[in-house]
Amino acid sequence: METSIQAISELYQKKGDLHYDGEGVSQLAHAWQCGQLAKESGVSPQLQLAAWLHDIGHLLSSKEGTPTSYGYDDHHEQIGGAYLAQLFSEEVSCPVLMHVNAKRYLVSTDPEYRKLLSPDSIRSLALQGGEMTLEECNQFVTMTFAQDAILLRKWDELGKNSELKIPAKEVVIACLTQLAQECI
Ligand SMILES: [Fe+2]
Ligand SMILES: [Fe+2]
């Protein structure tokens, strides 16, 4: 699918209400919450957009339901990263591409982080390669955008608050569209 801001906005319009088993929020609510956490942290618009769109690969998949409950990894970070790289710079696409490995890195290096993982994130961890070896950790952390991916990953765990009220779908999608336009 060709990447455009209109295509992204239509994707969230059509599939943003999707829930994954083990997560308390819809894809759109998760995207909004992660985007807000990034904005509050004062990071660049590009990293804010990466936070918004890090799970777009799930929406691009034609498979229905929750991949991890069927025991497979949908490689959503690769699908999403490649999709976004068609339109945006690496500042947007690379943290998206790296957000799964950032989870593997954090689980391997920060015992407190594991406690933050949602049931679906725990279920997917093994399918995604599990903990990293020391060598893999050292390799990951020196990569360009590793720190951005780590920041994004922390918002990812925090952005699953089912108690939090989010604005109407049209408002959320309008915010997303405006930010995406800034990042082109
Ligand atoms: Fe993800
Ligand atoms: Fe996520």
Side-chain angles (χ1 to χ4, degrees):
M1 194 202 286
E2 200 186 316
T3 315
S4 66
I5 292 179
Q6 195 186 340
I8 293 171
S9 128
E10 282 171 9
L11 199 58
Y12 279 91
Q13 192 72 46
K14 212 167 107 190
K15 291 186 160 183
D17 297 324
L18 220 66
H19 267 261
Y20 274 85
D21 293 343
E23 309 286 18
V25 288
S26 70
Q27 286 290 339
L28 190 65
H30 181 48
W32 163 263
Q33 290 185 28
C34 292
Q36 291 308 111
L37 289 163
K39 191 177 174 182
E40 286 160 17
S41 303
V43 298
S44 68
Q46 285 76 14
L47 186 51
Q48 289 180 41
L49 187 65
W52 268 92
L53 297 177
H54 71 278
D55 278 339
I56 195 168
H58 281 316
L59 304 188
L60 289 163
S61 163
S62 53
K63 298 199 171 85
E64 295 291 324
T66 306
T68 56
S69 2
Y70 300 105
Y72 70 88
D73 177 13
D74 66 356
H75 301 289
H76 70 286
E77 77 286 9
Q78 291 169 32
I79 295 168
Y83 178 76
L84 295 171
Q86 293 178 54
L87 187 64
F88 301 105
S89 67
E90 288 187 329
E91 277 85 2
V92 178
S93 63
C94 284
V96 172
L97 178 68
M98 293 163 74
H99 83 276
V100 167
N101 275 340
K103 172 173 79 173
R104 295 180 57 219
Y105 171 81
L106 284 166
V107 161
S108 315
T109 54
D110 181 355
E112 288 302 303
Y113 169 80
R114 190 186 280 266
K115 295 179 194 160
L116 298 173
L117 292 180
S118 67
D120 192 51
S121 270
I122 291 169
R123 206 164 38 207
S124 58
L125 177 66
L127 297 168
Q128 291 161 339
E131 288 190 18
M132 283 181 170
T133 62
L134 186 60
E135 199 185 335
E136 285 172 325
C137 285
N138 290 337
Q139 216 168 43
F140 176 78
V141 81
T142 53
M143 289 171 78
T144 318
F145 302 112
Q147 295 310 319
D148 284 354
I150 288 168
L151 276 175
L152 193 161
R153 191 67 221 190
K154 289 181 176 171
W155 302 321
D156 195 354
E157 309 319 331
L158 296 171
K160 295 172 181 174
N161 183 351
S162 56
E163 310 283 296
L164 206 73
K165 279 249 174 276
I166 73 157
K169 194 174 182 177
E170 300 67 43
V171 177
V172 173
I173 292 176
C175 288
L176 170 59
T177 306
Q178 197 184 354
L179 179 63
Q181 270 154 357
E182 267 181 58
C183 293
I184 285 191

